[in-house]
Amino acid sequence: MASSSFKSTRMSIAASIRQAMGTISDIVYPPVCLGCGEITGTHGGLCGDCWSRLKAIEKPVCDVLGTPFPYDAGEGVLCADAIADPPPFAKARSAVIYDDVARSIVHRLKYSDRSDLAAVMARWMARAGGDAIGAADAILPVPLHRRRLLRRRYNQSAELARALSRRTGLTYLPAALLRTRATRQQVGLGTKARAGNVRGAFTVPEARRSQVAGQSLLLVDDVYTTGATVKSATRALLQAGAGAVYVLTFARVAPGPL
Ligand SMILES: [Zn+2]
């Protein structure tokens, strides 16, 4: 009896500490909706309105590109794009469709320096990217060019990759891939211009080749638009001897006209 009341006292002390810690982090980061910034009751969540609008990507999807199919055509079926223009990566997967809610989540990650947000996004990505994660030996982000990193201080894809590495136990390789050419922002460019803009922009430094040789790698980015960036990065990794590259992004632009 005495020991159980001691135990419950100990538990209530632990609970009060947790509560106090929660209060401290609430002061630093008040719990806001990750989509719209409205105050919500809990951390790492969305308000009801944003939840109802966020479109999670669920099976059935194209086995290679991961684009959602309107109906279930069976396991291992590919979309027309994957057949007409096979990508260099083995599979790509994304957690959600890039719509207004996803856009503001990505924007919040990019500009508000909130690494707690990366952990929440990584949780959604881990669920969507099970196949790709299961096949990978190590994980790495699409890198920013050194100059852009200096200006922004922060690579949002690296935050996502780091959070996913913590979650999955995959080895994190932050420096295996470099962006050696400063490229224009892809926003506003068409499909062809995007591919030209990032062609040959990535390289694996000689000293890092042993990290990628023969490995199955999970390449992480925030948004998949035409795939030009991850395709270019994949080619550099394969050239350096990677066995296979899988791609996992938080969001993906819905197929169809951009
Ligand atoms: Zn909201």
Side-chain angles (χ1 to χ4, degrees):
M1 204 60 191
S3 89
S4 92
S5 86
F6 172 65
K7 198 172 163 194
S8 73
T9 311
R10 218 170 38 179
M11 276 168 64
S12 75
I13 292 171
S16 342
I17 293 172
R18 264 199 309 276
Q19 202 172 15
M21 297 295 284
T23 315
I24 292 164
S25 80
D26 286 357
I27 295 165
V28 182
Y29 297 138
V32 295
C33 168
L34 303 177
C36 64
E38 285 288 311
I39 302 284
T40 57
T42 52
H43 281 285
L46 291 171
C47 72
D49 184 43
C50 288
W51 257 128
S52 69
R53 287 189 296 136
L54 190 70
K55 294 182 200 73
I57 297 176
E58 314 265 3
K59 285 181 177 169
V61 297
C62 164
D63 193 45
V64 169
L65 289 180
T67 32
F69 283 140
Y71 55 88
D72 197 349
E75 282 291 308
V77 173
L78 305 190
C79 69
D81 281 354
I83 294 165
D85 184 18
F89 50 75
K91 281 177 199 289
R93 293 292 183 267
S94 312
V96 300
I97 293 287
Y98 192 56
D99 61 2
D100 290 352
V101 181
R103 183 179 298 118
S104 62
I105 294 173
V106 168
H107 193 267
R108 214 170 280 275
L109 177 69
K110 218 180 243 183
Y111 298 106
S112 65
D113 213 347
R114 292 277 305 262
S115 47
D116 57 331
L117 184 49
V120 177
M121 295 164 79
R123 194 170 72 219
W124 296 340
M125 291 166 78
R127 204 164 39 198
D131 298 358
I133 291 166
D137 303 310
I139 187 166
L140 75 169
V142 168
L144 289 178
H145 188 261
R146 189 163 37 82
R147 265 205 307 278
R148 185 162 292 161
L149 185 61
L150 281 176
R151 206 166 48 225
R152 206 189 272 162
R153 290 186 303 123
Y154 177 88
N155 174 5
Q156 71 278 7
S157 303
E159 294 304 314
L160 294 175
R162 205 194 324 263
L164 272 163
S165 147
R166 266 193 220 116
R167 220 186 152 74
T168 59
L170 289 174
T171 307
Y172 180 47
L173 305 176
L177 186 65
L178 290 181
R179 194 184 287 241
T180 40
R181 198 155 57 70
T183 50
R184 290 168 58 200
Q185 297 266 23
Q186 296 280 72
V187 176
L189 300 180
T191 304
K192 265 212 174 116
R194 278 171 181 263
N197 190 31
V198 289
R199 190 169 295 130
F202 299 95
T203 189
V204 175
E206 201 55 51
R208 303 285 179 180
R209 288 196 169 221
S210 61
Q211 290 187 325
V212 313
Q215 297 288 293
S216 282
L217 300 170
L218 184 66
L219 180 65
V220 173
D221 206 359
D222 53 355
V223 184
Y224 185 109
T225 307
T226 63
T229 304
V230 290
K231 284 176 190 167
S232 177
T234 296
R235 286 189 191 100
L237 291 166
L238 293 175
Q239 228 162 46
V245 177
Y246 294 82
V247 172
L248 182 56
T249 70
F250 173 66
R252 140 180 326 244
V253 172
L258 283 177

